[in-house]
Amino acid sequence: FRVRAPGEAQEKYLPAGSSVAISSALDSPKIAAALQAGQQQIGYVDDVAAASATARGAAAEVRLVALLGVSQDQCSVLLVRADAPRFASAKGALDWLNGRTLAAPKDSCMERFARHLLRQPGVAARLASDQNIEVITAGFRAGRLDAAVVSEPSASRLVGEGSARRVASGATWQQHDASYLAMRTELIEQRPDVVRAWLRAELEAQQFLADPANAAEIIELALAQ
């Protein structure tokens, strides 16, 4: 079977003879579309893509099998260009956005948060949802972009290299984001052993991430990506 996932499946849990083809995608809508088209059987998606992949009337039946995490700053980080003013508050950053453009990848949890920001009182910025994370990254590096909502680890990378500054996140407005594990229905029905094995591997991976003793190795893994 094939899977779109951020890491490697742990072979010790999968049935003998299993073969996994990992296919990376920066945009959850692409993963949702691949699941619906039957090009992938397992996918890691954000909350917006999870809703679209499992919507009634979708091209193929896809189910959510696990909630992987809930946060306020995994998918909802507001960045501004590096030479923007030093704002005294998040409201100051929103006021600065008036008359400027706020970018966010289309049909993503990032766009959902961006639209929430634009609904705040007194905010009059234009939303550009035609830019994916690669275009946004290039825009910040070239100094062509005023502001954008991006997800981790892209946010930390841009801040760390000095291409952008972080001014707020979902925590500022008590907004949550989430990620899910989705699978095609035929995989669930025909190979429940694979589903159980994958969930065991996912649990072990989450336990590894939660252990502070593994912090250095986790940073190295993230940098490698």
Side-chain angles (χ1 to χ4, degrees):
F1 57 98
R2 300 180 62 82
V3 58
R4 283 184 184 264
E8 295 183 358
Q10 300 186 32
E11 295 182 359
K12 68 179 183 181
Y13 290 108
L14 292 172
S18 297
S19 176
V20 181
I22 302 294
S23 180
S24 298
L26 292 175
D27 301 319
S28 280
K30 294 180 181 178
I31 301 175
L35 286 167
Q36 291 175 350
Q39 298 169 346
Q40 311 290 335
Q41 285 77 48
I42 304 173
Y44 289 72
V45 294
D46 66 31
D47 46 23
V48 173
S52 63
T54 58
R56 186 181 301 275
E61 191 171 359
V62 179
R63 298 180 188 174
L64 302 181
V65 298
L67 171 63
L68 301 175
V70 177
S71 72
Q72 292 181 315
D73 58 3
Q74 174 63 31
C75 194
S76 309
V77 182
L78 175 61
L79 300 183
V80 296
R81 66 177 192 239
D83 62 350
R86 296 285 175 174
F87 309 110
S89 64
K91 183 181 184 305
L94 292 186
D95 291 341
W96 178 79
L97 281 176
N98 287 333
R100 293 182 167 85
T101 298
L102 176 64
K106 187 175 179 59
D107 298 329
S108 69
C109 52
M110 292 166 277
E111 182 187 13
R112 174 176 49 74
F113 181 61
R115 292 189 180 280
H116 174 79
L117 297 181
L118 297 182
R119 289 194 296 268
Q120 300 307 301
V123 178
R126 184 180 75 87
L127 176 64
S129 60
D130 58 346
Q131 302 184 32
N132 61 29
I133 193 65
E134 294 160 311
V135 174
I136 289 173
T137 296
F140 272 129
R141 288 173 174 168
R144 298 191 304 264
L145 195 60
D146 289 323
V149 174
V150 300
S151 61
E152 293 291 0
S154 298
S156 292
R157 183 177 69 244
L158 287 166
V159 172
E161 68 185 31
S163 298
R165 290 205 338 268
R166 176 178 173 142
V167 293
S169 71
T172 312
W173 289 275
Q174 296 302 305
Q175 292 293 301
H176 291 81
D177 50 63
S179 58
Y180 293 84
L181 181 61
M183 296 185 182
R184 284 181 61 91
T185 301
E186 63 262 28
L187 175 66
I188 297 172
E189 295 177 346
Q190 297 171 14
R191 295 303 304 269
D193 56 333
V194 168
V195 176
R196 287 192 294 268
W198 197 275
L199 289 172
R200 291 191 185 101
E202 179 63 36
L203 177 59
E204 181 173 309
Q206 296 227 8
Q207 291 171 334
F208 177 85
L209 290 171
D211 188 346
N214 298 323
E217 186 176 352
I218 292 168
I219 291 173
E220 291 177 0
L221 291 169
L223 289 174
Q225 297 296 319

